[in-house]
Amino acid sequence: MSIPFLAEIDIASYTSQSEGLDPKALAYFGHVFAKLSQDTVKDDDAFLYLQQTFGLFESYFDVTNLESIDDLVSLLDSGAAKIFVTNDQLKQLGSVDNLDQSRVVPVVDITTTAEASTAATGAAYFPNVEDVKRLSSLLEKGDPTIFVGLVQPNEGRAHEVAKLGAIPIVAATSLTIDPQLEPKLISAAALFLARAESDRPDGLFTTLVTDERGVALGLVYSSQESVRESLKSGTGVYQSRKRGLWYKGATSGDIQELVRVSFDCDQDCLQFTVRQKGRGFCHLATSTCFGNYKGLAKLQKTLLSRKESAPQGSYTKRLFDDPALLRAKILEEANELCDADSKENIAFEAADLLYFALTKCVASGVSLEEVEQNLDAKSVKVKRRRGNAKAAYVKQVDPDNGASNADEKTEIIKEAAAVPKSSEDPAGVRNGRIAMTRYVTSEVSHTTIEEALQRPSQKSTEKIMNICKPIIQDVQKEGDAAVLRYTHQFEKATSLKSPVITAPFPDRLMQLPPEVRQAIDTSFDNIWRFHAAQKESKPLVVETMSGVECSRFSRPIARVGLYVPGGTAVLPSTALMLGVPAKVAGCEKIVIASPPRGDGSLSPEIVYIAQKVGAESIVLAGGAQAVAALAYGTQSISKVDKILGPGNQFVTAAKMLVANDTSAGVAIDMPAGPSEVLVVADKSANPAFVAADLLSQAEHGPDSQVVCIAVNLSEEQLGAIEDELHRQANALPRKDIVRGAIEHSVTLVVENIDEAMRLSNIYAPEHLILQVEKAEDVVGLVQNAGSVFIGPWTPESVGDYSAGVNHALPTYGYAKQYSGVNLASYVKHITSSRLTEDGLRRLGGTVEELARVEGLNAHERAVSIRLRHLADNR
């Protein structure tokens, strides 16, 4: 594949630039260039960028300002296509094992033709080139790959470089796919076509159209005009030899979303990578002009169709609805493949395993394209692990030698991450066991305890805010179009045509097993009872002095937006915790926002709850785009007055941004962070219960934190809790995530309950569990906590789901200032005053005096004019 040019970006701001190529347009061409600083690597910005963009475009980095060779290797390991390096860096990289040296390009400052020619033996990057003609002599000496950074680049010089066979590097802000709209910028389409040569008399380019997996859909023709129009519209536009421009699917509805354009090695054949919609590419309504899909592509299409409309009771429907059954089938087929011994049996069992594995992917909204992107990402890894199996699986094959063959864990994780840690990391493991760090408070300093109780580090608030701001601005400007675009990008729900579904919701979206429906109904009733009891029976009325009556009364907030995290997860509990109080309060308009699954659908549990609480609509979006849609409203999404609900760091940042924008006129419930629990346990506590409660929060994510405060426990009693934690953690499916949380979780051994509660109040946990004698009496010592769970029979889980209390709670220490969501979160209080004539006579002089002190004459006059009126009319 030929590279026509590299678009230079700033990885910190390329998503929010006001002109030039935006991220979607950059992806059409597929290759970008960026200069990295030491800060971008130190702060992990470059690695986060690679994680977000792998599969969208290949990234070429100038790393000459970086100091550590390890950083260069890590960038390549994380997916950088090539790095441009100094000679010293090149020499050091030469000794790195498993490194494909073709991914390393030397940087050469051209000062003489001789120096340039020796540098260009294979590939080279020439920054700051003034004399383009010098490149011609280099390219005549063979077929090197030359990247060229121009001094004062313009369209003519960029074309000149491209026509010589080199690859120009041009700022993305200087390129455009719409020259009519941005006439001062360089046409990206023209630069893309600069080296193109047609081998046809009519000058058209033979064009192969493929899907995202590279499967050929058909053969068409393109012209310079059709390429420009396709890039501008973002759809498949080709050149008909008889009818001119051909907008594929304009009449049939079988349109194509443009993904990528590229040339073959000879620059005479185009490849259009598209996302086909409708019946298929061919006019005969088949997937391709060569017939229907086969193999995995056919299976994926079938499973997507079955997921949308599988008949009730069918086997595929059972697999989608029963994760335990699907898990069992995957394990069963994997074992059968391992036991297969003939070529035919291996092929047969592999096909079965692929069927169930792809069913798992489709059920979770994961496409074959995403699986293959992950394979591609693994293929560029430089760092190699030993690749041994986990001990548990080795023992199944070789029970006598399992431990010695198990993979040794060598990679160190130093702080909380926002993604699950791999099983190879030793996070949360101490002396071969999953264990929390233990401190005896009487043996260490106060500073040590304070540091131990610090929450795990999160990404910089400023960085998160800078990611969210352009998304919010786009939703403000573009409305539905921006919400859909970001939902397509982040949730991969590209089939969505509308970002919202409105009530009444169709029954087909709420198909639930009877036992699930019953569980939701029971939880609904309990949450309703507890929140209904919080209603004020009548207004507060107080006569502060004779003739002066003050009152306070409540009114429901008219329009509320409820954010329910979703996507591949199913979180009906959050929909209940937010929706039921809104209905109890009497809010006129309830709008739920929840990210859809990859096929554009929502979990039926959330739709069912939305119907029960009387929601007006459900916004099919998550993240900052959902928050912005609720805050400002769009063409089809109602604006709300308050946004409530938990979310990740991006949701929290977006909520804070819109709450601080006076033009939005929207409030939020509270800031939030990762989940957490603090368990106070004395000698009466059941070690198994304590461990289970700690793990119930640790499984939320590797950035969660759990704390155990052990009150005067012996070594044997502490050991019993630690044994249970290790045993139970190893039995959990989310064991690796638990270990990530355990890595920064602690046990504090204290002498008495007073010290325990003092430390608990300093920490201010989201969830506080009291597994102590006479736990009810200890509640009086609680000053700071989101919610308290009292005694051995009250696990935090009951509060998460069904007891009646709300699980939307302040985290990260905000329990010192904020309450959890409750009925008051959905109402506002209005005060009123009513004075009689006698009341004004009694109070008027006081008000006048204070108004004079503050120099507010109009305030004084509003009272005195009335007092004079009363005096004159006695």
Side-chain angles (χ1 to χ4, degrees):
M1 180 178 63
S2 174
I3 302 174
F5 61 86
L6 294 183
E8 181 174 358
I9 65 169
D10 178 347
I11 64 171
S13 61
Y14 78 101
T15 59
S16 58
Q17 59 198 32
S18 59
E19 62 179 2
L21 301 183
D22 62 16
K24 184 176 181 181
L26 288 168
Y28 293 156
F29 301 104
H31 307 275
V32 300
F33 168 86
K35 295 178 181 177
L36 298 187
S37 67
Q38 195 63 44
D39 286 344
T40 58
V41 174
K42 182 179 67 175
D43 295 340
D44 286 342
D45 290 351
F47 299 103
L48 178 62
Y49 158 84
L50 285 170
Q51 181 183 348
Q52 292 172 336
T53 60
F54 193 90
L56 291 177
F57 29 77
E58 294 182 354
S59 296
Y60 297 68
F61 290 147
D62 180 338
V63 296
T64 54
N65 289 323
L66 302 189
E67 300 167 1
S68 168
I69 294 300
D70 287 342
D71 285 341
L72 308 192
V73 175
S74 293
L75 287 167
L76 291 169
D77 196 61
S78 298
K82 293 182 188 290
I83 55 175
F84 299 167
V85 301
T86 65
N87 282 332
D88 286 343
Q89 290 172 325
L90 182 64
K91 290 175 185 176
Q92 294 180 69
L93 288 167
S95 61
V96 175
D97 293 336
N98 302 313
L99 176 58
D100 179 358
Q101 294 295 325
S102 69
R103 297 173 66 192
V104 182
V105 179
V107 177
V108 181
D109 184 10
I110 302 182
T111 55
T112 67
T113 305
E115 181 185 347
S117 61
T118 57
T121 53
Y125 166 44
F126 300 116
N128 306 318
V129 171
E130 295 188 62
D131 185 2
V132 174
K133 293 184 173 60
R134 278 179 130 178
L135 298 171
S136 58
S137 61
L138 302 178
L139 292 164
E140 289 171 359
K141 297 176 184 289
D143 190 24
T145 302
I146 295 182
F147 301 88
V148 178
L150 292 166
V151 175
Q152 297 179 339
N154 57 38
E155 187 155 5
R157 302 187 76 206
H159 277 247
E160 189 177 356
V161 170
K163 288 177 180 178
L164 285 172
I167 301 168
I169 299 175
V170 182
T173 52
S174 299
L175 294 164
T176 181
I177 56 174
D178 192 346
Q180 291 182 329
L181 184 65
E182 299 176 303
K184 294 183 180 180
L185 303 186
I186 298 170
S187 168
L191 186 55
F192 171 74
L193 295 163
R195 290 180 58 197
E197 294 183 5
S198 173
D199 58 2
R200 294 176 50 85
D202 56 11
L204 298 181
F205 300 104
T206 302
T207 302
L208 179 66
V209 185
T210 72
D211 66 12
E212 292 174 276
R213 297 185 59 238
V215 176
L217 302 179
L219 196 67
V220 296
Y221 297 95
S222 296
S223 63
Q224 293 200 17
E225 183 185 7
S226 70
V227 172
R228 286 194 299 269
E229 187 62 24
S230 188
L231 290 167
K232 180 179 174 182
S233 65
T235 61
V237 181
Y238 310 107
Q239 188 73 40
S240 169
R241 288 167 291 175
K242 297 179 181 178
R243 298 186 297 275
L245 288 182
W246 171 29
Y247 293 81
K248 180 73 176 77
T251 55
S252 66
D254 301 328
I255 62 169
Q256 298 171 341
E257 293 178 3
L258 182 63
V259 175
R260 180 77 53 85
V261 292
S262 56
F263 269 106
D264 71 347
C265 56
D266 294 325
Q267 298 281 325
D268 60 4
C269 179
L270 271 168
Q271 179 180 352
F272 266 56
T273 304
V274 301
R275 194 173 291 119
Q276 180 68 52
K277 302 295 183 180
R279 300 168 301 169
F281 180 86
C282 186
H283 68 285
L284 298 177
T286 56
S287 301
T288 81
C289 286
F290 311 105
N292 279 313
Y293 278 136
K294 295 181 175 65
L296 291 175
K298 179 180 180 180
L299 176 59
Q300 175 174 249
K301 187 173 183 180
T302 301
L303 288 171
L304 287 168
S305 173
R306 296 275 172 82
K307 184 180 180 183
E308 183 68 27
S309 58
Q312 202 68 29
S314 71
Y315 184 61
T316 309
K317 176 71 172 172
R318 283 182 60 205
L319 290 173
F320 283 136
D321 291 345
D322 189 346
L325 171 62
L326 181 54
R327 177 184 175 85
K329 290 301 297 181
I330 292 172
L331 292 172
E332 174 190 329
E333 297 302 338
N335 278 323
E336 291 185 358
L337 175 59
C338 292
D339 293 339
D341 50 10
S342 69
K343 181 178 178 180
E344 292 77 11
N345 284 342
I346 290 171
F348 183 87
E349 298 300 344
D352 279 349
L353 180 58
L354 288 170
Y355 167 77
F356 290 107
L358 192 53
T359 303
K360 168 76 172 179
C361 291
V362 170
S364 301
V366 175
S367 67
L368 268 175
E369 292 78 17
E370 289 169 302
V371 173
E372 291 178 341
Q373 282 178 13
N374 275 273
L375 287 172
D376 291 340
K378 294 175 190 296
S379 73
V380 300
K381 290 286 184 185
V382 179
K383 302 175 184 178
R384 300 293 187 218
R385 293 193 175 99
R386 294 178 61 184
N388 293 337
K390 295 179 183 178
Y393 295 99
V394 174
K395 287 179 182 177
Q396 293 180 25
V397 179
D398 186 2
D400 297 328
N401 200 27
S404 62
N405 284 335
D407 197 17
E408 295 179 8
K409 302 169 177 59
T410 57
E411 187 174 350
I412 302 298
I413 299 297
K414 296 181 180 178
E415 59 181 31
V419 293
K421 295 175 171 58
S422 70
S423 58
E424 288 77 15
D425 299 334
V429 176
R430 292 168 180 83
N431 299 320
R433 291 160 54 84
I434 298 176
M436 294 154 59
T437 303
R438 190 203 295 184
Y439 297 94
V440 179
T441 60
S442 62
E443 298 175 0
V444 296
S445 67
H446 292 301
T447 302
T448 299
I449 298 302
E450 288 175 3
E451 291 175 353
L453 290 176
Q454 290 294 311
R455 266 73 174 185
S457 60
Q458 301 296 305
K459 292 189 184 298
S460 161
T461 301
E462 183 180 356
K463 292 178 189 174
I464 299 296
M465 292 286 190
N466 287 338
I467 293 171
C468 291
K469 283 176 184 176
I471 297 174
I472 293 171
Q473 290 166 358
D474 286 349
V475 173
Q476 280 184 275
K477 294 175 188 174
E478 304 172 42
D480 286 350
V483 177
L484 271 176
R485 184 170 71 251
Y486 284 115
T487 301
H488 292 171
Q489 178 181 342
F490 295 131
E491 315 302 338
K492 312 300 182 186
T494 55
S495 62
L496 279 181
K497 296 293 187 289
S498 170
V500 66
I501 54 175
T502 56
F505 307 113
D507 288 340
R508 62 182 173 81
L509 300 182
M510 297 183 283
Q511 296 299 312
L512 292 170
E515 60 273 18
V516 174
R517 191 176 288 249
Q518 179 60 49
I520 290 173
D521 291 346
T522 299
S523 299
F524 181 100
D525 292 343
N526 287 349
I527 297 166
W528 181 284
R529 288 189 193 98
F530 183 67
H531 288 80
Q534 299 171 33
K535 266 193 168 181
E536 298 171 10
S537 58
K538 60 182 180 180
L540 171 70
V541 181
V542 177
E543 188 175 48
T544 58
M545 62 189 301
S546 179
V548 180
E549 180 183 278
C550 297
S551 71
R552 189 188 76 164
F553 54 91
S554 64
R555 294 290 184 269
I557 296 172
R559 305 171 297 181
V560 292
L562 314 180
Y563 186 88
V564 179
T568 58
V570 179
L571 295 174
S573 57
T574 301
L576 283 167
M577 295 296 174
L578 299 175
V580 174
K583 187 173 178 68
V584 172
C587 300
E588 294 176 12
K589 184 172 291 187
I590 300 172
V591 181
I592 292 176
S594 189
R597 296 180 285 205
D599 63 356
S601 67
L602 280 174
S603 69
E605 293 87 354
I606 290 176
V607 182
Y608 176 62
I609 292 166
Q611 184 84 342
K612 280 184 73 72
V613 303
E616 172 207 73
S617 58
I618 305 175
V619 179
L620 303 172
Q625 61 272 24
V627 173
L630 294 172
Y632 300 100
T634 69
Q635 295 90 335
S636 61
I637 299 169
S638 296
K639 177 192 167 16
V640 301
D641 303 310
K642 187 172 184 177
I643 300 172
L644 305 96
N648 60 22
Q649 294 175 74
F650 298 97
V651 172
T652 299
K655 286 168 65 177
M656 295 174 74
L657 284 168
V658 299
N660 287 325
D661 180 2
T662 54
S663 69
V666 69
I668 62 172
D669 48 358
M670 70 188 101
S675 191
E676 60 199 30
V677 67
L678 188 150
V679 180
V680 180
D682 65 10
K683 61 184 179 182
S684 71
N686 185 319
F689 293 2
V690 174
D693 286 341
L694 293 168
L695 293 171
S696 71
Q697 293 307 297
E699 74 172 349
H700 272 293
D703 51 359
S704 296
Q705 186 177 46
V706 300
V707 177
C708 178
I709 300 184
V711 182
N712 198 25
L713 295 190
S714 67
E715 183 62 35
E716 181 181 356
Q717 291 164 333
L718 288 167
I721 293 174
E722 291 170 349
D723 289 345
E724 279 291 337
L725 185 101
H726 175 69
R727 183 185 67 78
Q728 293 183 34
N730 275 301
L732 292 172
R734 296 166 69 89
K735 178 179 71 173
D736 290 336
I737 293 175
V738 165
R739 287 172 46 220
I742 294 297
E743 175 68 14
H744 39 260
S745 297
V746 295
T747 296
L748 302 180
V749 184
V750 302
E751 294 180 351
N752 53 58
I753 193 66
D754 290 331
E755 184 184 2
M757 296 312 298
R758 181 181 65 81
L759 291 173
S760 174
N761 288 325
I762 290 172
Y763 186 75
E766 176 190 18
H767 306 101
L768 171 60
I769 299 178
L770 300 176
Q771 291 202 39
V772 295
E773 289 181 324
K774 298 180 179 179
E776 295 86 350
D777 296 341
V778 177
V779 175
L781 299 177
V782 177
Q783 296 298 321
N784 302 317
S787 190
V788 184
F789 301 86
I790 306 166
W793 310 115
T794 318
E796 184 276 332
S797 312
V798 299
D800 267 354
Y801 295 108
S802 307
V805 297
N806 209 291
H807 80 195
L809 302 168
T811 66
Y812 225 69
Y814 283 112
K816 294 177 182 177
Q817 302 95 0
Y818 287 87
S819 304
V821 167
N822 56 76
L823 192 68
S825 305
Y826 297 84
V827 302
K828 70 264 188 181
H829 287 95
I830 303 169
T831 59
S832 67
S833 307
R834 187 179 68 84
L835 274 66
T836 64
E837 293 179 6
D838 184 58
L840 184 60
R841 290 191 186 99
R842 291 173 182 272
L843 189 61
T846 299
V847 176
E848 287 177 310
E849 185 61 34
L850 289 173
R852 281 193 291 272
V853 169
E854 294 186 353
L856 298 176
N857 296 336
H859 281 64
E860 178 189 358
R861 187 179 299 111
V863 175
S864 60
I865 196 172
R866 286 174 167 81
L867 291 175
R868 284 197 300 272
H869 179 82
L870 290 174
D872 293 343
N873 290 279
R874 274 188 166 179

